[in-house]
Amino acid sequence: MDNETSAGHVTRKTVLRAALAAGMAAPAVLMGVPALARTLTAGEAAPALTPECDDGDDPTPPQTEGPYFKPNSPLRKSLLDAGTTGVRLTVSGYVFGLACRPISGVLLDFWQADVNGAYDNTGFRFRGHQFTDSTGAFELTTIVPGLYPGRTRHIHVKVQAPGRPVLTTQLYFPGEPRNNTDTIFDPRLLMTVRDAGGAREAAFDFVLNVPQDPGPTPTPTPTGSPTGSPGGTWAAGTSYRVGDAVTHAGLGYVCLQAHTAQAGWEPPNVPALWRAA
């Protein structure tokens, strides 16, 4: 198979595809975090997604800046102030390069309309920038933006990896009626969104046009009695086969797909690879 090495263990591309088939997003299999389900209205076909992080993927598409960008926004992860009204929204995700490796220290500058569809052009309400952490992750706390004439609901963002050009784009919400009439709307820029107890949670992963060395392919080691895993037999660097049994943190697991273990892929973090015994 083109996605398996001659040694019999799978590549990162195969693991990502297996994760997607199991209902997980790409960062979930890489970082061990839960994925969010895309929301669709009745009868709506699933739109084309921004390319999942994978070897050789195209970068996230750019979009117009629009008339309301302001430089020098404050450094902050939350755009909420005292008395902010609107449905709370958390947007989280990762920033990857072309070889599916996360990028730390990426600048993300967000701006959006308030609940009434108005932009603050004198101050910095609903404006702020932040940087990805060591795992390439970001998280924004804000509200669901309001609508204004001619546009569907959206959030603006500029994304810049250290020493690289700026990507200017916009993020969209699934199931919005105006998605069908907004001439700027791009379905590749839809976030995945779910309701969360009166608030909403969204996820989106950026793929930047940043060349990366994919790194060496891990050398398989014989399957047998792994060592070096605190609290169990699972160990990074070990080549596991379908049906192999391990323990981790006092619980037993069975391998669902052949792979070479990496830090962050411990069971039960990656349901595409392990199930509870």
Side-chain angles (χ1 to χ4, degrees):
M1 296 175 62
D2 60 349
N3 287 320
E4 291 191 10
T5 68
S6 58
H9 70 278
V10 294
T11 63
R12 175 178 297 206
K13 182 178 293 185
T14 301
V15 173
L16 285 167
R17 285 177 176 171
L20 291 167
M24 298 178 64
V29 71
L30 290 173
M31 306 299 176
V33 297
L36 302 178
R38 178 176 298 274
T39 58
L40 298 171
T41 58
E44 181 183 1
L49 302 180
T50 295
E52 289 86 10
C53 176
D54 204 346
D55 301 311
D57 263 342
D58 293 330
T60 300
Q63 288 220 308
T64 178
E65 178 182 281
Y68 300 121
F69 173 71
K70 288 180 61 175
N72 304 317
S73 67
L75 175 63
R76 58 181 179 176
K77 294 185 177 182
S78 174
L79 306 186
L80 303 181
D81 297 317
T84 295
T85 58
V87 177
R88 297 296 190 267
L89 172 70
T90 301
V91 181
S92 60
Y94 295 86
V95 179
F96 296 100
L98 296 178
C100 195
R101 297 175 62 188
I103 309 174
S104 63
V106 174
L107 170 66
L108 298 104
D109 196 344
F110 295 96
W111 71 102
Q112 67 171 77
D114 65 16
V115 70
N116 298 312
Y119 287 84
D120 180 5
N121 297 317
T122 58
F124 289 94
R125 292 186 67 246
F126 297 109
R127 301 176 184 269
H129 72 274
Q130 60 180 276
F131 297 88
T132 56
D133 64 17
S134 60
T135 69
F138 70 91
E139 182 174 286
L140 175 72
T141 302
T142 182
I143 63 166
V144 175
L147 294 167
Y148 66 88
R151 290 302 316 276
T152 190
R153 212 177 301 274
H154 63 281
I155 297 174
H156 294 269
V157 59
K158 288 181 178 286
V159 189
Q160 184 177 24
R164 301 294 300 181
V166 177
L167 166 68
T168 301
T169 194
Q170 302 179 35
L171 303 180
Y172 296 100
F173 295 78
E176 289 288 329
R178 292 192 186 181
N179 288 351
N180 297 323
T181 58
D182 189 327
T183 59
I184 300 175
F185 170 75
D186 188 332
R188 294 174 296 174
L189 296 168
L190 281 166
M191 298 181 288
T192 56
V193 182
R194 71 177 180 187
D195 294 325
R200 305 193 81 185
E201 294 178 348
F204 190 88
D205 300 320
F206 296 93
V207 180
L208 298 184
N209 188 12
V210 176
Q212 294 176 314
D213 179 356
T217 299
T219 301
T221 56
T223 303
S225 300
T227 59
S229 175
T233 59
W234 181 94
T238 300
S239 180
Y240 291 108
R241 298 173 298 188
V242 175
D244 284 348
V246 299
T247 58
H248 183 71
L251 299 175
Y253 300 91
V254 175
C255 181
L256 298 178
Q257 179 170 256
H259 67 285
T260 299
Q262 298 184 31
W265 291 4
E266 301 91 341
N269 289 344
V270 193
L273 300 179
W274 299 100
R275 66 169 172 82

